[in-house]
Every structure is written in C-alpha cells, then in structure tokens.
C-alpha cells in the first residue's frame, strides 16, 4: 500500500493535545502569550533583542519520539509487521522568567516564592490538559509521565511533563 501524506495519527493527537493545553492555559491564573508546537531536543522559548517569549509566558507541545508498542509505555521487543502499533511520547512545557535582581542586589526571596507557586500552578495546567485529551480517548491508551522543573537558563525557567499515548488504539 502506498504511503499517504500528510501524516495523520500523530498529527491529530498532537492537535487535540495542543487545543487542550491552549484551553487550560487560558483558564490558568497567569495565562501565557505563546501557546504552540515546538520541535527539537528541547522545547525552550526563544528570545531576540526586542522580544522574549519566556517573559510573556510560553506553553508548548512537543513530539519527543514514537516507538513500536503493543501498549504504552512498553516498547515492543519484536516487531511483527509494518502495521505494528506505535506509541508516541509527547512533552508539555510551560516557561516563565526567573527573578534576576539588578547589578547591585539579587532578587528578593518573595520573587522566588512567587515563581515557585507559578511553576506548581503550571503543573496543574499541564495535567488538566492531559486529562482533557484522556477524556477524548480510551483511558487505557495514555500513560502520564513525570513532571519536573527545568533548570534556569538565560533567565528563563519552566517545567515539563511527558505522556505516552497509543497512536492507533484511541485515535
């Protein structure tokens, strides 16, 4: 059978997850200005001389990888055919500016306390987006991974959560 383009199974799941994230971000205490897809080895926000995605708040969905699987999160040890079911790993991330202080003083502790609470709120936002997707699929097709903060880089800090989804069972 010839290959049919564009790719649909992963794209459709990713679009559903992005819409869920977009909806949940708008309901969060501090909505993000940028919500969309990212690609590559990390889904970090970008900055230029006049604009900074991080400080405006950024939320992303990223496809991390796909793998042969008879049921997520376990990779298949043997592949039986080209029609083998697959799993996909998605990453959700939300990014914010970290406190920086000024040339003479570091940021005040309350700024770090506020950021800490924002990151925990972002965790709830991402988990709610995953639950939104799960409500649209067979609940046995999703495995929620770990949530973890991401190291501060260039004054930007965030957190991520991953999820594995069976591509063909619930789509």
């Amino acid at each position: 059978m010839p290959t049919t383009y564009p790719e649909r199974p992963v794209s459709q799941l990713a679009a559903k997850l992005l819409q869920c994230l977009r909806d949940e971000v708008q309901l969060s205490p501090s909505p993000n200005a940028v919500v969309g897809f990212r690609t590559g080895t990390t889904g970090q926000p970008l900055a230029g001389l006049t604009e900074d995605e991080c400080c405006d708040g950024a939320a992303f969905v990223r496809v991390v990888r796909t793998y042969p699987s008879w049921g997520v999160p376990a990779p298949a040890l043997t592949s039986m055919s080209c029609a083998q079911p697959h799993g996909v790993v998605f990453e959700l991330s939300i990014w914010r500016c970290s406190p920086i202080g000024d040339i003479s003083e570091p940021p005040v502790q309350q700024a770090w306390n506020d950021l800490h609470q924002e990151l925990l709120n972002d965790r709830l936002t991402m988990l709610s987006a995953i639950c939104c997707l799960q409500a649209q699929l067979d609940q046995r097709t999703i495995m929620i991974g770990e949530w973890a903060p991401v190291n501060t880089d260039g004054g930007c800090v965030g957190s991520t959560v991953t999820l594995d989804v069976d591509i063909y069972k619930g789509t």
Side-chain angles (χ1 to χ4, degrees):
M1 174 165 30
T3 302
T4 306
Y5 293 96
E7 190 283 337
R8 296 215 190 281
V10 175
S11 297
Q12 289 173 347
L13 281 171
K16 288 178 184 180
L17 183 56
L18 178 61
Q19 188 58 54
C20 287
L21 182 61
R22 185 173 280 123
D23 293 345
E24 292 300 327
V25 159
Q26 290 308 310
L27 297 172
S28 72
S30 51
N32 298 284
V34 177
V35 182
F37 291 117
R38 282 295 148 104
T39 190
T41 57
T42 63
Q44 291 181 294
L46 302 172
L49 292 175
T50 60
E51 224 175 295
D52 182 344
E53 290 178 332
C54 184
C55 288
D56 293 333
F60 303 124
V61 170
R62 182 171 76 94
V63 175
V64 176
R65 67 186 175 101
T66 66
Y67 57 95
S69 177
W70 297 107
V72 298
L77 298 177
T78 58
S79 186
M80 303 307 280
S81 72
C82 288
Q84 163 95 40
H86 278 71
V88 58
V89 179
F90 290 109
E91 178 186 79
L92 298 175
S93 63
I94 298 181
W95 299 83
R96 309 200 168 278
C97 273
S98 63
I100 57 170
D102 62 33
I103 196 164
S104 59
E105 295 183 21
V108 296
Q109 184 57 47
Q110 188 58 48
W112 287 107
N113 295 350
D114 293 345
L115 177 62
H116 170 77
Q117 187 60 55
E118 282 187 331
L119 290 175
L120 293 177
N121 288 345
D122 292 342
R123 175 186 168 273
L124 288 179
T125 298
M126 291 185 283
L127 290 176
S128 293
I130 291 169
C131 290
C132 165
L133 178 67
Q134 189 174 34
Q136 299 175 52
L137 305 173
D138 178 341
Q139 292 191 9
R140 296 169 293 167
T141 65
I142 292 181
M143 178 71 178
I144 300 171
E146 294 181 2
W147 171 85
V150 176
N151 289 333
T152 302
D153 183 19
C156 193
V157 68
S159 62
T160 64
V161 66
T162 58
L163 67 148
D164 289 52
V165 181
D166 283 322
I167 296 176
Y168 298 108
K169 289 183 182 174
T171 56

